[in-house]
Amino acid sequence: MKLVTFTESERVALGRMDTEGRVRDLSEVVGARTLLDVIDAWEQLGPVIAAAADLPVVDTPRLLAPIPRPRRNLFAVGKNYRDHVREFGRSGYEHPDRVDVMPTVPIVFSKVPTAVTGPYDEIDPHLTVTSDLDYEAELAVIIGRGGRGIPVDRALDHVWGYTIINDVTARDLQRDHQQWLLGKSLDTFAPMGPWAVTADDIGDPGTLEVSSTVNGEPRQKAPVSDLIFDIPELISVISAGITLRSGDIIATGTPAGVGIGFEPPRFLAPGDVVECAITGLGALRNTVGSKVPEE
Ligand code: MG
């Protein structure tokens, strides 16, 4: 099942995509509940939503991120595809010796909730803050049932579903501030969507393929099975000491082909169109804006 959060005529509501790609309004089934509310009560509401028939078609929906404002920081994982570790090391951005040592444990960082923006919204280039704007197409996991100390062999039972995140990054801030939070969390730095797809629709996430293009030119392409630390391991490691909660989001890392991987780097500029796609999950399509700084 593909669920969306949409806005139409100033109202924000939950919808279900039908097989023809139309948005069906779920308001009469779930009322004013958000996707987070629905995931919290999925055991009761999931079957009701799945069975709902003859839902009205929404004529002119504008899709928002499926979870437009997560309850807390998004978890994210750095350097989780081998070829990306190599390109990142080669770039010299992280270390002048251009080392490309494979991580032996997951590198977990976070992005603030206010970075989230819609699947077709503009990316703010923050022209006065960064000159090294980069993209990272990623599979994101949405947690259903929370828990602490979740073992690897039961981790997928805690996954509610999946979506796409572009882990937009200001490489200069990422480098200069040591901690990645600033470079990863500027406003609009987490385009998400276009749908949230339930885990039962996906089956084995390792079979999915992550890809991206910039202005139509292919940049990234890799199967999720290339992850160094797979989804069960990430859930197990994060939940070892942090209780995961319903609605938590984990961006699992990005494959090779980001702007920093080119020599010289190919950073994003106003007017560029970035598409991030994953099989079965649709595609994000975000244009880099030319927004002037706000007071
Ligand atoms: Mg990333």
Side-chain angles (χ1 to χ4, degrees):
M1 195 165 13
K2 296 182 173 79
L3 298 180
V4 294
T5 299
F6 69 91
T7 178
E8 187 195 46
S9 308
E10 315 235 328
R11 75 189 176 105
V12 175
L14 205 60
R16 196 183 71 194
M17 301 296 291
D18 68 18
T19 50
E20 276 88 54
R22 293 171 300 192
V23 174
R24 299 281 185 159
D25 193 344
L26 280 167
S27 299
E28 62 188 53
V29 181
V30 300
R33 289 184 182 89
T34 65
L35 183 55
L36 285 173
D37 299 331
V38 165
I39 295 171
D40 288 346
W42 189 248
E43 276 187 31
Q44 295 79 46
L45 289 175
V48 178
I49 292 171
D54 300 323
L55 296 167
V57 173
V58 186
D59 289 329
T60 54
R62 183 171 81 85
L63 296 192
L64 306 178
I67 299 175
R69 188 54 53 91
R71 295 191 181 112
R72 60 175 176 175
N73 285 22
L74 290 74
F75 296 97
V77 182
K79 301 201 282 191
N80 203 15
Y81 286 82
R82 286 180 182 80
D83 287 345
H84 174 62
V85 175
R86 293 188 187 101
E87 72 176 353
F88 203 82
R90 267 198 319 271
S91 75
Y93 240 67
E94 189 179 46
H95 199 283
D97 295 340
R98 300 183 180 244
V99 290
D100 62 353
V101 178
M102 294 296 146
T104 54
V105 291
I107 298 168
V108 181
F109 63 95
S110 80
K111 293 170 80 83
V112 302
T114 46
V116 173
T117 194
Y120 313 121
D121 289 349
E122 277 194 354
I123 295 167
D124 184 338
H126 295 275
L127 295 169
T128 60
V129 182
T130 177
S131 51
D132 296 355
L133 187 69
D134 209 347
Y135 53 89
E136 296 188 350
E138 306 200 7
L139 174 65
V141 174
I142 303 170
I143 296 295
R145 190 162 47 85
R148 201 171 94 176
I150 298 169
V152 165
D153 62 358
R154 290 211 293 275
L156 290 180
D157 298 343
H158 292 259
V159 174
W160 175 85
Y162 301 92
T163 191
I164 308 170
I165 283 181
N166 182 349
D167 177 20
V168 180
T169 304
R171 296 291 178 204
D172 39 8
L173 299 185
Q174 181 186 25
R175 175 195 60 206
D176 295 346
H177 291 266
Q178 306 283 319
Q179 296 279 331
W180 293 5
L181 186 85
L182 270 184
K184 297 282 192 177
S185 293
L186 304 186
D187 295 352
T188 74
F189 270 22
M192 184 200 298
W195 321 306
V197 182
T198 51
D200 58 327
D201 264 20
I202 297 299
D204 175 8
T207 63
L208 303 179
E209 184 179 76
V210 180
S211 63
S212 71
T213 65
V214 177
N215 302 325
E217 179 190 313
R219 292 290 181 88
Q220 301 179 277
K221 192 180 181 102
V224 170
S225 58
D226 277 4
L227 283 173
I228 299 173
F229 304 103
D230 65 10
I231 291 166
E233 186 152 15
L234 295 176
I235 290 173
S236 174
V237 166
I238 294 170
S239 74
I242 298 176
T243 302
L244 282 173
R245 300 175 188 162
S246 161
D248 276 343
I249 296 165
I250 304 170
T252 54
T254 203
V258 299
I260 191 72
F262 291 87
E263 194 144 4
R266 300 177 70 181
F267 294 123
L268 297 171
D272 284 347
V273 179
V274 189
E275 280 202 36
C276 300
I278 298 179
T279 38
L281 298 179
L284 305 173
R285 183 183 170 86
N286 303 92
T287 300
V288 179
S290 52
K291 212 166 163 184
V292 292
E294 289 171 10
E295 286 292 314

